[in-house]
Amino acid sequence: MSAAFQPYRRARDFGTPKRESQRQVTLTIDSVTVTVPEGTTVLRAAAEAGINIPKLCATDSLEPFGSCRLCLVEIQGAKGLPASCTTEVREGMVVTTQSKRLADVRRNVMELYISDHPLDCLTCPTNGDCELQDMAGAVGLREVRYGYDGANHFGAKKDESNPYFTFDPTKCIVCSRCVRACEEIQGTFALTIDGRGFASKVAASQNQPFLDSECVSCGACVQACPTATLTEKSLIELGQPEHYVVTTCAYCGVGCSFRAEMKGEQVVKMVPNKDGHANHGHSCVKGRFAFGYATHKDRITKPMIRNSIHEPWKEVSWEEAISFTAKKFKEIQAKYGRHAIGGITSSRCTNEETYLVQKLVRAAFGNNNVDTCARVCHSPTGYGLKTTLGESAGTQAFDSVMKADVIMVIGANPPDAHPVFASQLKRRVRQGAKLIVVDPRATDLVRSPHIEADYHLALRPGTNVAVLNAMAHVIISEGLEDKEFIAARCERDAYEDWRAFILEERNSPEAVEKESGVPAETIRGAARLYASAPNAAIYYGLGVSEHSQGSTAVMAIANLAMCTGNLGREGVGVNPLRGQNNVQGSCDMGSFPHELPGYRHVSDPNVRKLFEQDWNVTIDPEPGLRIPNMFDAAIAGTFKGLYVQGEDVAQSDPDLNHVAKALSSLECMVVQDLFLNETAKFAHVFLPGSSFLEKNGTFTNAERRISRVRKVMKPLAGYEDWEVTQLLANAMGYPMSYSHPREIMEEIARLTPTFAGVSYEKLDELGSIQWPCNEKAPQGTPTMHVEEFVRGKGLFRVTPYVPTDERTNSKYPLLLTTGRILSQYNVGAQTRRTANVAWHSEDVLEIHPHDAEQRGIQTGDWVGLKSRAGETVLRALVTERVMPGVVYTTFHHPESGANVVTTDNSDWATNCPEYKVTAVQAYKVEKLSDWQQRFQSFTEQQLEFLRKARAGSEEAVG
Amino acid sequence: MDVNKLVRMANQIAANLDDGKNPQRAIDGTVDHLKRFWTPAMRRQIVEHYRQGSNGEEVIELSFIAAQAVARLAEEQQQATA
C-alpha cells in the first residue's frame, strides 16, 4: 500500500497543451538545445527542457491566452518581448528566458497584480499551493510602490452558494483560466468576464450565484484557478494535503482517474488526474466532490442478523454473522435443493470482488445462480455485440471520438450520465464534427451553448429498431454501403439475407414514420450523413438496451456500423456507454448465469474443465437463474436464499411490488452494502461493505480500460468486500485463501484469455490497460476488430421490428420513460448522502405543456402516475424537453417510486427490463399514493429496527 | 414460476428470431436460445405446460414457432429420460 503513496505536490504544468506533429523543430533556450513537435509553444518547449518561465494565465490544460505578460521572453531577431505562451517554436530560434530586462518587466507586472490583492497569505486557504504566491517569489517581488489605497476589489463579496467551492472575487486576477476551463474543458460556457478594464470580473451566467447559474460544478474552474479565488470548501476547512494516492472514480462508466489528496486517512480533495487515460484531468460534480458518503453517519459498520424481517436487527461479530449465513444457506440447500440459493454481484464493486462472488456461487453454492445488475442495464449489449462482432464490449477508446466526423448518439444522455466523456464529445462537435441524436427527449446534446445536433430523431419510445432499420434501408437502397468492407470482413450469406430483409418496404422511412413519429426525410438525412462520413461513430446507452427489443437494437446498431465500414479503426465504432463504474468489468468477470469469466458459455466442456481444474470443483453445465427469474422463482417457492453484494434491487429493479413480494418470500437474504439500503430492509443478514476508498482492486470502464482502485483508508467495518466473500466461502466449506486482490487478478489472468497479460505490476507501469491484453497485445487494445472481427467474419443479423406489448390506450395514454440526472448516481445511495442534493433533492415528472394543460397540471403540482404495474406520486415539471404523449422521470430517490410504475416487460433475449417504455396515466392529486404511504411506514419500521440494534449494542458496551 | 410469463418470454424469443421467411431457422434459434439462457427447471416447466395444456386456467397461447420449439425440447427430454 505504501508504494502508492506519493508526497503531495502540485501536478507538473507545462504551460500550454501538448502538440502532435510529424515534424520536429529544434531551438535553443537559455543555451539548451531543445527539440519539440512543430506547433509547440516556446513556453512548453522550455518546460519540457526543465526551464520554468514564470506564468499566470497559462496552464497546459488550456489553449494559450497571452494576457498576464509574465511569460515574456527575449527572442533573437524578434522585436520587443513576445509572450512565450502564444509564440510557437521555429527552427533555429534562440530564446532567452532570464535577463535583467525581463526580470524588471515581470516584477512590474507582479507589482500591479499584488497592488489589488489581499496580503493575507498566512491565513489564505491556498497558502503553500498558490501560483500567484509562487510567481511573487519567482520574480523577486519585494515591494509594491503603488500602495494599497488606490482603487481595488477588496470589498467584493464572496459567493458561497456552491456547496463544494467558494468564489472569492477579492483574490481574482482576471486571468480567465476559469472562464476558459468552463468553455474549453467542460464545454458548458457558464462563466464569462463581465465588464471592461478595471471593472472586469468573473461572472456565472447572468451575474448569478454559482448554484443558481448554469454551472454544473465539474470543478474545472477550481482546478484551473491559480489563486484562492475558486477554492474547495474541504481544503478551506482541512488545509493542504500531505500525500496523494492515484485511484479510480467509483461513479459512472467513464472511470476517471483521480488523485485522492489526503491528510492521513482523511480525503482533503479528489482531484482529476492529468495523466488519467479516460479523463485527461477532467471530472464531474460526482467524482470531484461527492465523496462524503464514504464517511457519512449512515454507514453501517457492524454486521447484523435477524430471523425475520419483522424483527429488530441484532449487531453481532463478523464470525457470528458469517456462520449464521452459512448455516442458513446450507439448511436451505438441504431442504429445497442445491439450486435454491444464489448471488448478485455488483457493478459498483471491483473486478476482483465480482469475480469472487461468481466463484462463490459456482464453486461453493454449486450452481450457476449468479447474476449482476448489468442484467437490468447492458445485458443486451453483451448479447448483441457478441452475436454480431464476437465480443461483448465497446470497440473504441474514448479518445477515438476526436477523430470522428459524424457522431451518432442513440438513447444516451452523456452530459448527465457520462459527463466527462460528454465534454470530450462536445469539444469534437465544436471542432466541426456533425451530430445525430436519436432520443425521445431534447437532451442537452440536441441544443445547448455551442452545440446543435444536425439531426434530432425524436422517436416515440419503443421504436428504436424500426428507426435503425429505416436508416439501414436508406443506406442500402441508395447504394451508400461500403461494399468492399462488407465483402472482405462480413459473412456473405448472412449479409445477403439481411440485405433482402432490410430492403423490404416495411423498413422504409416512409413506412416507419407513422410508428416512430420521425419524419421520413429526417431519417433519410441522418442515414445519408452517417453513411457518407469518412469516420462515423455510434455511442449508445440504456435508451437502446432497456427495451423489449434491446438486444435487437444493439444488433441493428452493429449492422449499421458494419454496412458502412465504420469499425476497426479510430474515429468509428460501436460504443455502449456503461451506466455504473464497473458494468463492463462485472460482465467480464463471469457474473452472468450462463457464462464463465471471459464470456464463455457454461455448456462448453473445455472451458468448464479449465475452471474445474483450477478451482477443484465440478461446475454445473446448465445456465442458472437471471435476476428476474430469481424473483419469479422466489415467489414460486423454489428459490429461498440470496447473497446481494452492493446492489439495491428493491429500488433499481422494475415492478417494485413484484420485487418486494419476491424478497419477502426469501428465507435468508444477505445484503452486503455501505448503507441500510432498500434491499437491506428485506434482509436477514447485513454485512457492512467497504467504499472504493477503503479497498484495493480494479475497475473496468466503458472502453474496456482496467484501472487500479487503491486503498487510501482502512475499511470502516474492518474488511474489504472481497475478504467478506472469502469468509463466506470458507464457512460454506469451499476454501479460499487470497491475501490481496493482486492474487485474485493473477487467477483471472490465468483463466481468462483476454486478461492473460494483465497484472498489478503492469497496471502500475502503464497506468491502465484496455483488454484484450495478452501475448498478441501486451500493452492492451485501444481499438478492437482492426484486422478481423473477434468472431472472424462480422455477422449481419436480421432485426425485425416487433412492437412492445406495452401499448398506450385510453386508460394509459402516455408513455413513461426513465433516466438519470447529472448530480445523482443510480439509486442515489451515495449521492443522496452528499451535498449533491442541492441540485436534485427529489425526482420530478417531466410533462409536456400540452399534456399538462389537458390535465390541469402546473409545475410543482403533485401528480399521480399510474401504470398496469403500480401507482406513485411525483411533483410535476412542465417542460418542452419531452414531446407530447411522453413523460419522463428519474429513479434516484426511493420514495418517488419510479419503479413501482415500471412493468415486468423485458428484452426478449436477456430479460433486461423495459424501463424506457411504460404506458401510464398522469393526473393531479392532493396526497401521496397508497404505495408511498406503505413505503413510509415500512421504512420507518425498518429504521426503528436499526435504531434498536444500535441502542442494544451501546447498552451492551455500556 | 408463473407459466404465463414463461410463455410470454418464449413467444418474444420466437417473434424476434423469425424473419418471416424461414420458420425452421426460427424454431432452431428458439430451441438454442432456450437451452443457452433458460435454467433446466424453466425449460421443464414450459415443456410440462406444453404437454398438459392449461388445466383449465387462463393461459396465453404459445405462438406457432414457440410451440414448435417447445415440442422439440419435449422430444429431447423424453429421449433423455428414455
Side-chain angles (χ1 to χ4, degrees):
Chain A
M1 181 161 121
S2 60
F5 279 48
Q6 303 288 333
Y8 178 75
R9 62 174 188 277
R10 196 188 303 149
R12 182 91 200 273
D13 187 346
F14 292 88
T16 62
K18 189 175 184 177
R19 297 287 188 237
E20 281 176 15
S21 172
Q22 301 294 330
R23 292 186 55 185
Q24 298 289 306
V25 173
T26 300
L27 68 160
T28 308
I29 306 176
D30 294 347
S31 307
V32 178
T33 304
V34 186
T35 302
V36 289
E38 189 178 42
T40 302
T41 65
V42 171
L43 180 63
R44 180 160 189 126
E48 287 187 5
I51 298 164
N52 295 311
I53 301 172
K55 63 174 186 60
L56 273 174
C57 73
T59 184
D60 58 13
S61 58
L62 299 169
E63 289 300 314
F65 194 57
S67 84
C68 77
R69 317 312 292 170
L70 263 193
C71 72
L72 308 180
V73 290
E74 292 171 359
I75 298 176
Q76 216 173 69
K79 282 184 190 166
L81 302 173
S84 62
C85 69
T86 52
T87 306
E88 289 185 8
V89 294
R90 284 195 318 274
E91 191 64 38
M93 197 180 237
V94 179
V95 180
T96 303
T97 73
Q98 299 291 347
S99 70
K100 169 82 173 59
R101 185 181 173 207
L102 286 168
D104 287 344
V105 174
R106 287 178 186 149
R107 204 176 303 115
N108 284 342
V109 170
M110 278 307 292
E111 204 174 345
L112 282 165
Y113 273 125
I114 299 303
S115 70
D116 186 16
H117 194 85
L119 295 182
D120 60 351
C121 287
L122 286 180
T123 53
C124 178
T126 61
N127 185 22
D129 189 11
C130 170
E131 292 183 45
L132 189 69
Q133 199 177 42
D134 293 351
M135 288 307 111
V139 304
L141 185 70
R142 297 292 174 263
E143 59 174 343
V144 176
R145 290 166 294 171
Y146 309 105
Y148 300 94
D149 300 329
N152 60 51
H153 297 85
F154 297 157
K157 269 185 74 179
K158 263 191 204 175
D159 176 355
E160 307 246 27
S161 63
N162 184 294
Y164 296 119
F165 60 83
T166 60
F167 173 63
D168 181 355
T170 65
K171 307 215 162 160
C172 181
I173 57 170
V174 202
C175 64
S176 292
R177 272 164 67 162
C178 55
V179 176
R180 290 182 285 141
C182 192
E183 293 176 3
E184 293 176 29
I185 300 174
Q186 167 58 25
T188 293
F189 295 80
L191 302 182
T192 188
I193 299 291
D194 185 53
R196 284 167 168 263
F198 188 76
S200 306
K201 60 171 189 171
V202 172
S205 293
Q206 309 299 312
N207 268 315
Q208 289 163 286
F210 268 77
L211 188 63
D212 302 338
S213 75
E214 287 146 314
C215 165
V216 292
S217 197
C218 69
C221 57
V222 180
Q223 200 55 23
C225 180
T227 71
T229 310
L230 287 156
T231 311
E232 297 92 344
K233 287 184 176 172
S234 59
L235 179 78
I236 294 173
E237 187 191 335
L238 300 169
Q240 295 294 338
E242 45 80 20
H243 75 270
Y244 73 89
V245 180
V246 172
T247 190
T248 305
C249 180
Y251 283 119
C252 79
V254 177
C256 295
S257 176
F258 273 88
R259 283 168 42 143
E261 299 191 344
M262 309 291 299
K263 256 192 162 163
E265 289 197 297
Q266 187 166 31
V267 180
V268 176
K269 47 182 178 156
M270 294 291 287
V271 176
N273 179 13
K274 282 170 75 170
D275 297 327
H277 299 152
N279 57 319
H280 305 294
H282 190 34
S283 61
C284 80
V285 61
K286 296 190 283 287
R288 177 77 157 91
F289 296 117
F291 53 86
Y293 72 87
T295 48
H296 194 275
K297 63 178 174 47
D298 287 353
R299 279 286 299 272
I300 295 180
T301 54
K302 289 183 182 152
M304 303 188 296
I305 58 170
R306 58 181 175 178
N307 280 309
S308 150
I309 65 166
H310 306 296
E311 286 177 5
W313 287 101
K314 183 181 157 203
E315 287 185 346
V316 294
S317 65
W318 275 105
E319 292 71 25
E320 191 175 346
I322 295 291
S323 65
F324 178 88
T325 307
K327 183 168 170 281
K328 287 262 184 190
F329 278 172
K330 283 182 195 166
E331 282 170 1
I332 289 171
Q333 285 193 304
K335 190 170 168 190
Y336 300 99
R338 190 159 49 94
H339 294 97
I341 63 172
I344 298 179
T345 77
S346 176
S347 296
R348 298 203 259 281
C349 285
T350 64
N351 285 317
E352 293 75 2
E353 285 160 351
T354 51
Y355 175 86
L356 227 53
V357 172
Q358 64 89 31
K359 182 174 178 179
L360 168 85
V361 172
R362 298 188 206 277
F365 293 2
N367 62 47
N368 289 320
N369 291 334
V370 60
D371 206 357
T372 185
C373 54
R375 172 67 52 211
V376 301
C377 68
H378 263 294
S379 50
T381 288
Y383 179 89
L385 296 186
K386 177 99 178 167
T387 303
T388 48
L389 311 180
E391 193 57 273
S392 301
T395 61
Q396 312 295 122
F398 287 136
D399 287 350
S400 159
V401 78
M402 298 312 284
K403 294 190 176 165
D405 303 299
V406 168
I407 300 165
M408 180 150 83
V409 179
I410 312 173
N413 185 8
D416 276 280
H418 303 89
V420 170
F421 171 68
S423 292
Q424 196 173 20
L425 185 154
K426 291 200 284 186
R427 201 173 310 136
R428 182 61 183 160
V429 172
R430 291 198 304 275
Q431 288 174 358
K434 302 287 182 190
L435 182 61
I436 302 167
V437 176
V438 185
D439 202 294
R441 292 170 71 230
T443 61
D444 284 348
L445 284 187
V446 173
R447 193 178 164 85
S448 55
H450 296 266
I451 294 294
E452 177 139 29
D454 297 86
Y455 289 96
H456 176 208
L457 280 56
L459 75 187
R460 221 165 263 141
T463 60
N464 285 336
V465 171
V467 169
L468 291 164
N469 281 347
M471 286 185 70
H473 178 95
V474 174
I475 291 166
I476 300 299
S477 62
E478 297 188 5
L480 301 173
E481 75 272 32
D482 185 339
K483 295 186 181 73
E484 211 174 299
F485 183 92
I486 295 165
R489 300 282 307 265
C490 302
E491 279 190 24
R492 189 176 165 179
D493 290 351
Y495 172 69
E496 292 301 334
D497 282 353
W498 175 78
R499 184 186 165 85
F501 155 79
I502 213 73
L503 284 171
E504 289 173 23
E505 180 50 31
R506 61 171 157 157
N507 293 318
S508 73
E510 289 70 22
V512 163
E513 177 173 327
K514 190 162 177 283
E515 183 80 10
S516 68
V518 185
E521 267 319 295
T522 307
I523 296 178
R524 286 194 181 276
R528 288 169 190 149
L529 181 63
Y530 174 77
S532 57
N535 284 337
I538 296 176
Y539 294 85
Y540 72 89
L542 305 181
V544 164
S545 56
E546 290 175 346
H547 285 278
S548 66
Q549 280 203 291
S551 294
T552 311
V554 172
M555 294 190 290
I557 286 171
N559 289 343
L560 268 184
M562 285 191 290
C563 79
T564 51
N566 277 310
L567 284 160
R569 62 181 186 278
E570 283 190 286
V572 299
V574 172
N575 303 282
L577 294 170
R578 309 286 188 156
Q580 301 191 56
N581 50 326
N582 203 32
V583 174
Q584 181 69 54
S586 69
C587 298
D588 301 341
M589 293 299 106
S591 295
F592 288 140
H594 65 284
E595 282 171 342
L596 285 156
Y599 303 100
R600 289 165 294 167
H601 203 275
V602 290
S603 64
D604 184 333
N606 293 327
V607 175
R608 276 205 316 281
K609 195 172 159 196
L610 183 71
F611 284 88
E612 286 175 341
Q613 283 174 350
D614 203 275
W615 294 356
N616 201 23
V617 289
T618 303
I619 295 173
D620 189 338
E622 290 283 1
L625 294 163
R626 298 173 285 195
I627 292 172
N629 310 146
M630 288 180 191
F631 296 154
D632 291 340
I635 290 170
T638 56
F639 188 73
K640 292 288 185 182
L642 181 60
Y643 170 45
V644 183
Q645 185 180 73
E647 272 310 312
D648 197 0
V649 291
Q651 186 182 338
S652 64
D653 284 33
D655 195 2
L656 285 185
N657 287 318
H658 181 73
V659 175
K661 192 174 167 193
L663 298 182
S664 308
S665 309
L666 295 170
E667 290 184 7
C668 183
M669 161 89 140
V670 182
V671 168
Q672 186 173 338
D673 210 282
L674 303 180
F675 306 105
L676 192 83
N677 62 13
E678 300 313 308
T679 310
K681 291 169 188 163
F682 294 91
H684 305 91
V685 180
F686 187 93
L687 304 172
S690 50
S691 80
F692 78 114
L693 297 168
E694 298 158 35
K695 59 193 176 191
N696 283 301
T698 56
F699 291 150
T700 307
N701 75 354
E703 41 166 12
R704 295 171 278 103
R705 186 181 301 286
I706 308 160
S707 302
R708 273 299 312 275
V709 176
R710 294 188 177 92
K711 188 173 175 174
V712 302
M713 58 178 74
K714 61 182 171 299
L716 294 190
Y719 288 119
E720 300 180 32
D721 287 313
W722 61 271
E723 292 179 287
V724 177
T725 307
Q726 174 159 294
L727 288 172
L728 185 54
N730 287 324
M732 289 293 291
Y734 180 79
M736 286 189 191
S737 56
Y738 305 99
S739 63
H740 190 276
R742 173 186 292 111
E743 295 165 14
I744 306 173
M745 182 52 86
E746 283 165 8
E747 181 174 317
I748 295 165
R750 188 165 71 231
L751 295 170
T752 314
T754 44
F755 277 68
V758 179
S759 68
Y760 277 30
E761 291 70 29
K762 194 183 270 187
L763 283 165
D764 285 344
E765 183 195 329
L766 299 178
S768 70
I769 300 170
Q770 286 177 276
W771 68 259
C773 174
N774 46 32
E775 265 185 20
K776 272 205 258 174
Q779 307 279 307
T781 311
T783 308
M784 291 199 76
H785 314 295
V786 174
E787 298 293 329
E788 62 170 4
F789 289 106
V790 171
R791 72 183 299 284
K793 297 268 187 187
L795 182 72
F796 280 88
R797 275 290 291 265
V798 170
T799 53
Y801 168 57
V802 180
T804 171
D805 292 340
E806 186 65 17
R807 310 291 274 184
T808 53
N809 57 21
S810 57
K811 199 171 170 195
Y812 302 109
L814 302 170
L815 283 181
L816 167 73
T817 186
T818 63
R820 292 146 204 256
I821 202 158
L822 170 68
S823 56
Q824 297 287 345
Y825 178 67
N826 203 270
V827 292
Q830 293 141 287
T831 43
R832 280 186 280 112
R833 291 180 173 91
T834 70
N836 276 27
V837 288
W839 288 276
H840 184 81
S841 58
E842 62 179 323
D843 296 316
V844 295
L845 185 77
E846 291 187 9
I847 183 166
H848 189 272
H850 173 79
D851 295 322
E853 194 182 342
Q854 274 190 339
R855 292 165 175 79
I857 293 168
Q858 293 183 338
T859 292
D861 285 349
W862 284 115
V863 178
L865 189 68
K866 187 175 183 185
S867 74
R868 294 175 182 98
E871 187 176 9
T872 193
V873 170
L874 299 146
R875 279 193 198 281
L877 172 66
V878 179
T879 170
E880 288 184 358
R881 275 169 78 96
V882 288
M883 63 171 90
V886 175
V887 290
Y888 168 86
T889 191
T890 48
F891 65 104
H892 302 304
H893 293 266
E895 61 275 14
S896 47
N899 282 323
V900 173
V901 179
T902 52
T903 70
D904 69 349
N905 258 20
S906 67
D907 173 47
W908 66 273
T910 64
N911 276 157
C912 178
E914 191 173 38
Y915 290 106
K916 303 295 184 184
V917 189
T918 308
V920 292
Q921 178 58 293
Y923 41 88
K924 207 169 157 176
V925 293
E926 298 299 326
K927 61 179 176 103
L928 294 177
S929 68
D930 290 347
W931 176 84
Q932 280 159 316
Q933 290 173 33
R934 284 200 308 277
F935 172 84
Q936 279 179 350
S937 64
F938 179 66
T939 300
E940 192 39 54
Q941 184 193 39
Q942 292 299 322
L943 291 177
E944 182 57 28
F945 290 161
L946 176 65
R947 278 192 286 273
K948 280 186 177 161
R950 287 178 161 176
S953 147
E954 275 163 25
E955 267 171 34
V957 172
Chain B
M1 286 195 206
D2 177 2
V3 77
N4 270 327
K5 199 177 256 187
L6 294 180
V7 170
R8 219 168 75 201
M9 281 159 57
N11 285 348
Q12 260 187 298
I13 295 164
N16 275 278
L17 292 174
D18 182 14
D19 63 0
K21 287 183 179 154
N22 191 337
Q24 199 51 51
R25 189 160 64 186
I27 295 165
D28 293 346
T30 306
V31 170
D32 181 58
H33 196 94
L34 295 177
K35 284 186 188 168
R36 288 180 74 80
F37 298 102
W38 283 28
T39 65
M42 290 162 72
R43 298 199 301 262
R44 274 198 302 274
Q45 195 181 348
I46 202 162
V47 163
E48 193 72 8
H49 165 72
Y50 173 77
R51 284 196 183 125
Q52 295 187 349
S54 65
N55 280 338
E57 296 159 34
E58 199 178 316
V59 289
I60 307 168
E61 294 268 325
L62 277 167
S63 69
F64 172 75
I65 303 277
Q68 296 294 307
V70 176
R72 177 99 57 84
L73 288 182
E75 236 170 77
E76 287 177 9
Q77 280 181 14
Q78 201 160 12
Q79 279 168 8
T81 50

